[in-house]
Amino acid sequence: MTAPPDTAPTDAELLAASVQDGDHFTAVYDRYYADVHRYVAGRLGPQTAEDVVAETFLTAFRRRDTFDPSRGSVRPWLFGIATNLIAQHRRTETRRYKMLAQVVVERDPAGHEDRVAASVSAERLQPSLARGLAALSHKDRDVVLLKALAQLTHEEIADVLGVPYGTVGSRLSRARKKLRAGLPAHSEGL
């Protein structure tokens, strides 16, 4: 591994070093576990997320010698693996959104004003948003949730899904229009 003494190694350097010594992969895991878990849990729920995230990192570890830094960075590569594994759970994901569309969340009357106002707004949108996500095609849903949950850039999403940059923009635009159409009129920020 060739990194200046005061600089942490890059993800690509860690992956390359992990081919010779698998212990280096731990640093990649530590850097991205929380992000990947948040993304998968947002799509499949916390119970299923544990298994899918574990499988994501196991797959990445097994394929670490095939990672090509010229095709993108490690973060979108991991989200790509996770998204492919989520595809095996599409029915679970759709059922989860349909269930969330039916759930009414109890408000916490003892909270602060701003927190309560934000919570009330989110609670009102949750069923409509969940219903809208369930109705999206899996391709559009992948783009929306990679953007919203994983906070990837358009370029990173294109890398993850193996589609052109313009396709990401058109899928995101189409999905946003569909989601807005199903939300109450006062929900301007989507």
Side-chain angles (χ1 to χ4, degrees), residues 49-124:
E50 293 297 326
D51 293 337
V52 172
V53 173
E55 193 172 346
T56 297
F57 282 98
L58 181 60
T59 300
F61 182 80
R62 288 178 178 156
R63 294 184 187 164
R64 68 192 187 281
D65 62 332
T66 65
F67 175 76
D68 181 1
S70 70
R71 295 191 57 205
S73 64
V74 172
R75 186 171 185 261
W77 180 64
L78 291 169
F79 281 106
I81 293 169
T83 300
N84 288 336
L85 293 171
I86 287 168
Q88 297 171 13
H89 297 272
R90 290 231 189 269
R91 280 185 260 157
T92 301
E93 181 183 34
T94 302
R95 275 194 311 269
R96 180 171 185 271
Y97 288 127
K98 287 179 179 178
M99 180 196 68
L100 285 173
Q102 304 300 317
V103 173
V104 177
V105 181
E106 295 286 326
R107 281 190 266 171
D108 178 12
H112 292 84
E113 258 181 53
D114 291 338
R115 194 177 77 210
V116 170
S119 177
V120 168
S121 294
E123 288 170 14
R124 276 194 213 128

Side-chain angles (χ1 to χ4, degrees):
M1 207 157 39
T2 60
D6 295 341
T7 305
T10 66
D11 296 339
E13 290 170 337
L14 286 170
L15 272 182
S18 76
V19 172
Q20 301 302 319
D21 179 0
D23 288 344
H24 289 287
F25 190 81
T26 302
V28 174
Y29 176 88
D30 290 344
R31 285 181 187 177
Y32 295 112
Y33 174 83
D35 291 341
V36 173
H37 187 273
R38 184 174 31 259
Y39 169 66
V40 176
R43 294 194 66 174
L44 299 175
Q47 291 84 7
T48 305
E50 293 297 326
D51 293 337
V52 172
V53 173
E55 193 172 346
T56 297
F57 282 98
L58 181 60
T59 300
F61 182 80
R62 288 178 178 156
R63 294 184 187 164
R64 68 192 187 281
D65 62 332
T66 65
F67 175 76
D68 181 1
S70 70
R71 295 191 57 205
S73 64
V74 172
R75 186 171 185 261
W77 180 64
L78 291 169
F79 281 106
I81 293 169
T83 300
N84 288 336
L85 293 171
I86 287 168
Q88 297 171 13
H89 297 272
R90 290 231 189 269
R91 280 185 260 157
T92 301
E93 181 183 34
T94 302
R95 275 194 311 269
R96 180 171 185 271
Y97 288 127
K98 287 179 179 178
M99 180 196 68
L100 285 173
Q102 304 300 317
V103 173
V104 177
V105 181
E106 295 286 326
R107 281 190 266 171
D108 178 12
H112 292 84
E113 258 181 53
D114 291 338
R115 194 177 77 210
V116 170
S119 177
V120 168
S121 294
E123 288 170 14
R124 276 194 213 128
L125 292 178
Q126 180 180 332
S128 298
L129 185 56
R131 203 172 8 266
L133 287 168
L136 290 177
S137 72
H138 69 83
K139 291 178 180 181
D140 289 350
R141 190 182 315 143
D142 284 345
V143 171
V144 166
L145 296 175
L146 282 166
K147 184 72 173 168
L149 296 177
Q151 299 177 346
L152 296 182
T153 65
H154 281 52
E155 294 88 1
E156 290 172 325
I157 294 169
D159 288 345
V160 166
L161 299 176
V163 299
Y165 177 90
T167 301
V168 171
S170 63
R171 285 182 186 173
L172 191 56
S173 176
R174 179 177 50 243
R176 282 178 172 162
K177 284 179 188 173
K178 288 178 182 178
L179 289 172
R180 276 189 202 111
L183 294 177
H186 64 280
S187 58
E188 300 301 319
L190 185 65

